[in-house]
Amino acid sequence: MVFIGTASVVTGGFGGALPLGQEGIGLAFGIGLIAAAYAIGPISGAHLNPAVTLGVFLAGRMPAREVVPYWIAQIIGAIIASLALWIIVTGQAGGHTGGFGANGWDEAKWGISSAFLWELIGTFTFVTVILGVTNAKHMTAFAGLVIGLTLAGLHFAMIPVTGTSVNPARSIGPALFFGRGGARPALAVHRRATDRRGDRRHRRQDWHLRKRLIRNAKGAGMNPRLFFGSMRPKAHRDLSVSLRAL
């Protein structure tokens, strides 16, 4: 699940396409979990998530002695998946400059309390659904599908805020490789792409304004070089802002 989900950000290109890309990322995590649920569910229960293991233990469905080994295996699995993905992207021509699926939030938009509360509610919802559909009283063959779609739905809602974790192992794995080989969180890549688009838009506006001023200077019989030649970039930007405000 960690490999498929984070790969949708790293090699799938959805990380730089937010907010529309969150549907693809959510489905990748959801489908990965569905596959894992049906593949290894009969063997280990397919927890893949320390929070789920804790919920199963508190529900009285597993002994205390198995909790820590499950947590260790889950975290090691996430690290191995992230390592494999990191090895893949380091072979990218020109180096990898996209995201690596690490969780985080935009401090300019969200406070840490908002991010923490969203993750708390999302994790509680996810674990509750898992405990409900796997209950012996009404267990169904569609349990894996319901769980995977729930995870996808949580991603649709939470990615713009925290990148969606609801799984400590999923957060730890990619975080260990954050910043290595140019890897960045998906939200950081989105913000960087947005900033570049904004910079290009402002440069186009300034260029059009500059051409208009040059035409006006020529029409008034002035030498445009005398007017623009001594202008520094910052002064030019300040003048552009002032003229646009008129």
Side-chain angles (χ1 to χ4, degrees):
M1 179 193 70
V2 172
F3 182 80
I4 296 176
T6 52
S8 69
V9 178
V10 179
T11 58
F14 288 111
L18 297 176
L20 296 179
Q22 65 198 47
E23 282 78 10
I25 297 172
L27 288 175
F29 274 100
I31 293 172
L33 182 56
I34 291 172
Y38 288 110
I40 64 176
I43 301 173
S44 64
H47 296 184
L48 306 177
N49 185 338
V52 174
T53 300
L54 179 62
V56 172
F57 165 69
L58 294 177
R61 299 189 193 177
M62 69 182 300
R65 67 177 182 275
E66 295 182 359
V67 173
V68 174
Y70 261 78
W71 286 348
I72 294 174
Q74 290 157 353
I75 294 173
I76 290 176
I79 293 174
I80 292 174
S82 299
L83 174 62
L85 191 57
W86 180 77
I87 293 173
I88 292 172
V89 300
T90 53
Q92 186 175 351
H96 177 64
T97 58
F100 203 73
N103 293 119
W105 69 92
D106 188 349
E107 295 180 356
K109 294 182 178 179
W110 304 97
I112 187 172
S113 58
S114 299
F116 176 79
L117 184 59
W118 223 154
E119 285 293 336
L120 182 64
I121 294 174
T123 304
F124 176 80
T125 301
F126 186 49
V127 174
T128 300
V129 170
I130 292 175
L131 294 178
V133 298
T134 58
N135 190 289
K137 293 182 179 180
H138 56 85
M139 185 176 293
T140 170
F142 294 104
L145 181 62
V146 173
I147 294 169
L149 291 177
T150 300
L151 182 60
L154 289 171
H155 275 76
F156 298 160
M158 296 174 61
I159 282 179
V161 183
T162 65
T164 311
S165 172
V166 302
N167 181 346
R170 173 258 182 275
S171 295
I172 293 172
L176 293 178
F177 298 90
F178 165 63
R180 299 177 183 273
R184 295 177 175 84
L187 291 177
V189 173
H190 172 58
R191 288 196 299 270
R192 188 179 59 178
T194 302
D195 291 342
R196 284 201 302 265
R197 289 193 295 269
D199 290 341
R200 287 195 298 268
R201 183 172 63 252
H202 288 306
R203 285 198 296 270
R204 286 196 300 269
Q205 291 173 349
D206 287 348
W207 172 242
H208 291 311
L209 178 61
R210 183 184 179 92
K211 289 196 298 183
R212 187 166 66 250
L213 291 174
I214 290 174
R215 286 196 302 268
N216 293 340
K218 287 182 177 179
M222 299 172 58
N223 185 351
R225 291 181 178 275
L226 296 177
F227 188 68
F228 291 104
S230 61
M231 273 194 172
R232 296 177 181 177
K234 183 179 185 305
H236 181 231
R237 287 198 298 271
D238 293 342
L239 177 63
S240 300
V241 172
S242 300
L243 291 173
R244 282 198 295 268
L246 295 177

